[in-house]
């Protein structure tokens, strides 16, 4: 890392300006407040903060997408307000956005990655080499001749990252680049970041809500209310658990465990952020004493709840008869009972999203049968519209489903289409708003709300139709820890209160463990397994082989066992880990 700063932010404030139809200013919202920051060349800097704290706005200042209202931003000695230097600044600092659809421009993957180098005037043979190298680094080389619109969200993000890598900038700013990736994809992107940073000396500024990603950085900056409130090495930042939680953030699971143990009188450092160092510290305290692990309680009685969703030999193929033909779901048999809360996991492109779209008739199987409440939904006498009222689905980036003038009207849209009375519609709108804790927002425009609030409005719009089954495709992606916990806790409460069947697609193993009762695992278009949380996550090595992961605390417990202290193979939460460890530790 160089002593020379590649980025200098000096006393920067920034206001978003509202305009009326005539172009007159109607108001200002200050998003950045007197921010100062220097980034040495070659540094790996992580930026944390809750949604709306100013992280993305700051990032857009670093390559002159936005200009300061006050203060100055300098990139490699160039003032970002100097119009003659804009091209050089954006060639120096590449930007990867949270939503890859904002960044993909071509109809073929390799053409998209080549777009920036071509515009930079790079010779054709070198462009070919850069494109191939960049796609290999993000594990998308085999998709080089595919159309971007045929890829999953996570695959699109890898292509967007490859497009910036191909520019070979001196600095890359990444705004939540792994939000839609599976654990394997996240690891690949983080490995790519480390390679670019350590081997090629590229400066990296990573905005993330994943604490384990921030823990890998050289330095962490925390933002709140448009200001920088913390700036230090990761160990020092994450040791301040209470302060981070007070601003809606989280800490790595092993750090949280050490904090819980310390609160109970255990002499252990709270500056532990990685599973290996946590396991070693705990082994020194336990000295090979093993926990008393209660026997697993197997349910003797079979589950007699009715099957509400069933797929028999489901197969779905995209682009049949073209060079891009692809089997997305392959011969899947699955039965889901009424009232179950099912977590759905699988690597990016494994078929998760395609599978769930079968259950409300958004896609028709190429072969096989879909049953809802025992009815074949594609039989001639079934109105598919009725099925969609029974099975509600909330998509990734559900805020894109909003379109009405007010929150109340948006929530009411579905019930109105069901032909309900005004009285019943009002009742359902209020009930759905209460379930999502947005009653106070009913008269507001949905477009004035934060990302987390918009997600809850979109979800309330589906709840208002009172579906028997609620399907959620990555509902918390891109939200900060506080927003993620809020929306998932409200979904869990809704499930418990009304006994609805819930299907939750997520790349967060911690969320699946915390909220689901059963787990459905997809792998390469096929059903890998469908079982209880304990049984699925007990197959740690098998999950790792198919590109998935287990919670950090689980990985730590496995390392601890290899060292000589066994606290069980069913450790998925810090609470359970602390409960097993405390009797083994001499205070």
């Amino acid at each position: 890392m160089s002593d020379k700063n590649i980025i200098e932010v000096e006393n920067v404030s920034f206001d978003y300006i509202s305009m009326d139809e005539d172009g007159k200013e109607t108001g200002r919202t200050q998003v950045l407040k007197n921010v100062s920051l220097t980034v040495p060349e070659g540094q790996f800097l992580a930026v944390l903060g809750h949604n709306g704290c100013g992280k993305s706005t700051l990032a857009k200042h670093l390559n002159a997408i936005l200009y300061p209202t006050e203060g100055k931003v300098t990139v490699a000695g160039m003032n970002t307000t100097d119009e003659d230097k804009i091209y050089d600044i954006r060639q120096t600092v590449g930007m990867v956005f949270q939503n890859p659809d904002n960044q993909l421009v071509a109809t073929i993957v390799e053409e998209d990655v080549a777009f920036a180098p071509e515009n930079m005037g790079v010779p054709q043979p070198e462009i070919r080499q850069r494109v191939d190298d960049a796609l290999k680094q993000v594990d998308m080389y085999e998709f080089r001749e595919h159309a971007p619109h045929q890829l999953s969200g996570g695959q699109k993000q890898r292509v967007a990252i490859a497009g910036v890598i191909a520019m070979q900038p001196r600095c890359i700013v990444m705004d939540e680049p792994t939000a839609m990736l599976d654990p394997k994809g996240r690891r690949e992107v983080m490995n790519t970041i480390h390679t670019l940073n350590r081997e090629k000396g590229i400066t990296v500024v990573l905005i993330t809500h994943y604490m384990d990603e921030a823990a890998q950085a050289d330095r962490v900056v925390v933002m709140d209310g448009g200001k920088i409130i913390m700036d230090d090495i990761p160990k020092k930042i994450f040791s301040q658990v209470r302060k981070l939680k007070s601003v809606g953030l989280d800490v790595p699971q092993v750090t949280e465990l050490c904090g819980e143990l310390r609160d109970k009188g255990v002499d252990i450092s709270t500056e532990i952020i990685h599973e290996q160092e946590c396991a070693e510290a705990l082994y020194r305290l336990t000295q090979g004493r093993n926990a008393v692990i209660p026997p697993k309680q197997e349910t003797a009685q079979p589950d007699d709840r009715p099957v509400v969703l069933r797929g028999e030999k489901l197969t779905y193929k995209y682009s049949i008869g073209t060079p891009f033909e692809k089997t997305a779901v392959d011969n899947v048999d699955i039965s889901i009972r009424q009232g179950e809360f099912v977590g759905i996991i699988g690597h990016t492109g494994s078929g998760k999203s395609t599978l769930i779209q079968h259950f409300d008739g958004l896609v028709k199987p190429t072969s096989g049968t879909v049953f809802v409440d025992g009815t074949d939904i594609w039989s001639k006498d079934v109105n598919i519209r009725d099925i969609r009222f029974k099975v509600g689905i909330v998509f990734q980036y559900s805020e894109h489903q909003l379109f009405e003038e007010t929150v109340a009207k948006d929530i009411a849209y579905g019930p109105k289409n069901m032909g309900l009375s005004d009285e019943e519609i009002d009742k359902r709108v209020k009930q759905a708003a209460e379930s999502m804790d947005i009653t106070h927002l009913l008269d507001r425009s949905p477009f004035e709300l934060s990302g987390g609030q918009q997600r809850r409005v979109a979800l309330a719009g589906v709840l208002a139709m009172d579906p028997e089954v609620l399907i959620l495709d990555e509902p918390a992606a891109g939200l900060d820890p506080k927003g993620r916990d809020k929306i998932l806790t409200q979904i869990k409460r809704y499930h418990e209160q009304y006994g609805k069947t819930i299907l939750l697609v997520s790349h967060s193993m911690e969320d699946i463990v915390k909220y689901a009762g059963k787990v459905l695992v997809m792998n390469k278009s096929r059903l890998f397994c469908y079982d209880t949380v304990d049984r699925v996550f007990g197959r740690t090595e098998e999950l790792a082989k198919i590109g998935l992961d287990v919670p950090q605390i689980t990985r730590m417990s496995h390392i601890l066992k290899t060292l000589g202290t066994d606290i069980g193979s069913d450790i998925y939460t810090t609470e359970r880990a602390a409960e097993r460890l405390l009797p083994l530790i001499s205070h």
Side-chain angles (χ1 to χ4, degrees):
M1 188 163 51
S2 168
D3 293 333
K4 184 180 176 184
N5 294 324
I6 189 168
I7 293 171
E8 294 182 352
V9 179
E10 301 174 48
N11 303 316
V12 166
S13 295
F14 179 78
D15 301 341
Y16 281 110
I17 301 172
S18 304
M19 301 281 199
D20 62 17
E21 293 178 357
D22 299 322
K24 292 182 180 178
E25 183 179 326
T26 58
R28 286 175 174 254
T29 304
Q30 191 173 45
V31 181
L32 296 180
K33 302 173 183 177
N34 199 35
V35 172
S36 293
L37 175 72
T38 58
V39 184
E41 186 142 25
Q43 186 172 75
F44 177 8
L45 171 68
V47 182
L48 297 175
H50 60 79
N51 291 107
C53 73
K55 304 185 304 296
S56 294
T57 300
L58 175 62
K60 289 172 184 174
H61 277 76
L62 304 185
N63 76 338
I65 293 175
L66 296 176
Y67 306 129
T69 305
E70 296 176 16
K72 183 170 75 169
V73 178
T74 308
V75 172
M78 298 175 283
N79 191 319
T80 58
T81 58
D82 186 345
E83 291 187 6
D84 293 336
K85 298 291 185 182
I86 293 296
Y87 179 85
D88 293 331
I89 287 168
R90 291 181 182 162
Q91 193 170 324
T92 302
V93 178
M95 185 94 176
V96 177
F97 296 98
Q98 183 182 45
N99 187 345
D101 289 327
N102 297 339
Q103 202 155 350
L104 302 178
V105 293
T107 54
I108 301 295
V109 164
E110 63 180 5
E111 291 177 3
D112 203 286
V113 178
F115 182 79
E118 284 174 347
N119 280 280
M120 291 163 60
V122 175
Q124 197 61 41
E126 187 179 342
I127 290 176
R128 177 75 269 164
Q129 189 64 47
R130 286 194 190 190
V131 169
D132 289 351
D133 288 348
L135 286 170
K136 286 173 184 174
Q137 285 186 65
V138 296
D139 197 28
M140 288 296 292
Y141 182 73
E142 66 178 290
F143 295 93
R144 63 192 180 280
E145 295 180 352
H146 282 57
H149 74 268
Q150 294 177 317
L151 305 177
S152 69
Q155 289 169 324
K156 288 179 184 178
Q157 186 61 282
R158 293 188 216 180
V159 173
I161 292 169
V164 173
I165 291 172
M167 292 169 58
Q168 296 185 355
R170 287 168 62 188
C171 176
I172 299 180
V173 178
M174 299 188 176
D175 190 0
E176 292 280 350
T178 63
M180 301 306 297
L181 298 185
D182 58 43
K184 180 173 181 280
R186 284 181 55 210
R187 284 195 299 273
E188 287 168 351
V189 169
M190 291 306 295
N191 288 338
T192 298
I193 288 172
H194 287 304
T195 300
L196 295 171
N197 178 245
R198 292 171 184 165
E199 296 179 15
K200 300 194 175 179
I202 293 175
T203 307
V204 175
V205 178
L206 174 68
I207 295 171
T208 182
H209 286 140
Y210 288 109
M211 302 303 122
D212 60 325
E213 292 180 356
Q216 298 175 48
D218 300 321
R219 172 182 166 208
V220 176
V221 161
V222 180
M223 295 187 69
D224 182 46
K227 299 178 181 178
I228 291 175
I229 61 165
M230 301 169 76
D231 182 353
D232 214 324
I233 62 172
K235 283 178 181 288
K236 297 291 185 186
I237 294 289
F238 290 121
S239 67
Q240 301 177 64
V241 178
R242 287 190 179 86
K243 185 170 183 180
L244 288 171
K245 297 219 173 207
S246 74
V247 293
L249 296 179
D250 217 337
V251 296
Q253 277 189 314
V254 293
T255 311
E256 188 162 346
L257 172 63
C258 293
E260 288 179 26
L261 292 174
R262 195 170 181 87
D263 288 343
K264 297 278 175 61
V266 177
D267 183 15
I268 189 169
S269 170
T270 53
E271 292 188 6
I272 289 173
I273 58 177
H274 300 297
E275 50 257 40
Q276 181 71 39
E277 61 179 335
C278 181
E280 289 171 358
L282 289 172
Y283 180 72
R284 287 193 293 271
L285 291 167
T286 57
Q287 291 298 311
R289 292 184 285 272
N290 295 326
V292 176
I293 302 164
K296 284 191 168 46
Q297 298 294 320
E298 300 292 345
T299 305
Q301 295 296 323
D303 193 338
D304 58 359
R305 289 176 294 180
V307 172
V308 64
L309 299 177
R310 190 164 95 249
E312 288 186 358
K313 296 185 172 20
L314 286 185
T315 295
Y316 185 81
K317 297 183 179 183
Y318 287 104
S319 306
I320 295 174
T322 75
F324 302 116
E325 182 173 322
K326 178 180 183 293
T327 301
V329 173
D330 187 6
N331 200 37
V332 169
D333 286 312
I334 188 70
S335 294
I336 295 169
R337 296 183 180 275
Q338 190 177 66
E340 288 189 313
F341 195 129
V342 179
I344 300 179
I345 62 176
H347 58 79
T348 303
S350 64
K352 304 184 301 296
S353 294
T354 304
L355 175 65
I356 61 173
Q357 288 175 40
H358 279 81
F359 292 125
D360 76 339
L362 282 175
V363 298
K364 185 176 182 179
T366 306
S367 62
T369 313
V370 181
F371 297 93
V372 173
D373 283 339
T375 300
D376 176 355
I377 68 171
W378 291 105
S379 61
K380 290 181 181 178
D381 56 344
V382 172
N383 185 342
I384 200 69
R385 188 167 176 268
D386 295 336
I387 297 299
R388 290 172 185 156
F389 290 141
K390 281 186 176 183
V391 181
I393 189 165
V394 180
F395 296 101
Q396 294 176 356
Y397 301 115
S398 55
E399 56 269 34
H400 296 169
Q401 294 173 227
L402 306 176
F403 62 93
E404 285 280 14
E405 294 174 46
T406 67
V407 167
K409 286 182 179 179
D410 225 304
I411 298 172
Y413 182 79
K416 276 185 179 176
N417 279 297
M418 295 173 72
L420 302 176
S421 67
D422 289 345
E423 184 182 357
E424 180 64 19
I425 290 170
D426 287 344
K427 176 184 168 188
R428 291 198 180 194
V429 168
K430 287 174 184 172
Q431 192 174 44
E434 284 171 6
S435 291
M436 288 293 107
D437 192 24
I438 52 170
T439 306
H440 60 296
L441 301 175
L442 287 173
D443 295 328
R444 296 268 303 275
S445 164
F447 305 107
E448 295 173 352
L449 307 180
S450 70
Q453 289 171 329
Q454 288 182 328
R455 295 273 174 95
R456 300 207 303 276
V457 171
L459 187 48
V462 176
L463 297 186
M465 294 188 288
D466 193 28
E468 289 181 34
V469 180
L470 179 63
I471 301 176
L472 304 135
D473 194 356
E474 291 279 358
L479 297 183
D480 58 49
K482 185 177 180 182
R484 176 201 69 210
D485 289 345
K486 189 173 184 71
I487 199 167
L488 292 175
T489 299
Q490 285 162 337
I491 291 165
K492 182 72 171 177
R493 190 185 306 130
Y494 174 80
H495 168 253
E496 291 169 350
Q497 185 174 355
Y498 297 104
K500 302 292 187 177
T501 306
I502 309 283
L503 275 63
L504 171 68
V505 178
S506 179
H507 285 315
S508 168
M509 303 303 116
E510 287 81 3
D511 289 345
I512 293 293
V513 163
K514 191 172 181 180
Y515 297 102
K518 294 182 77 173
V519 184
L520 186 159
V521 184
M522 292 290 291
N523 177 42
K524 295 182 178 177
S525 309
R526 300 186 74 101
L527 179 65
F528 178 75
C529 67
Y530 177 48
D531 214 328
T532 62
V533 169
D534 275 352
R535 286 184 184 141
V536 170
F537 285 108
R539 302 168 68 173
T540 307
E541 292 181 6
E542 292 175 81
L543 293 177
K545 283 178 183 174
I546 65 169
L548 293 177
D549 212 339
V550 293
Q552 186 195 37
I553 204 75
T554 310
R555 295 196 300 273
M556 187 283 298
S557 69
H558 283 286
I559 296 169
L560 184 59
K561 184 177 180 179
T562 64
L563 294 175
T565 295
D566 186 1
I567 60 170
S569 59
D570 57 345
I571 302 297
Y572 316 118
T573 65
T574 57
E575 292 83 3
R576 185 178 288 182
E579 183 183 295
R580 299 268 177 88
L581 283 161
L582 280 168
L584 309 181
I585 297 170
S586 301
H587 294 261

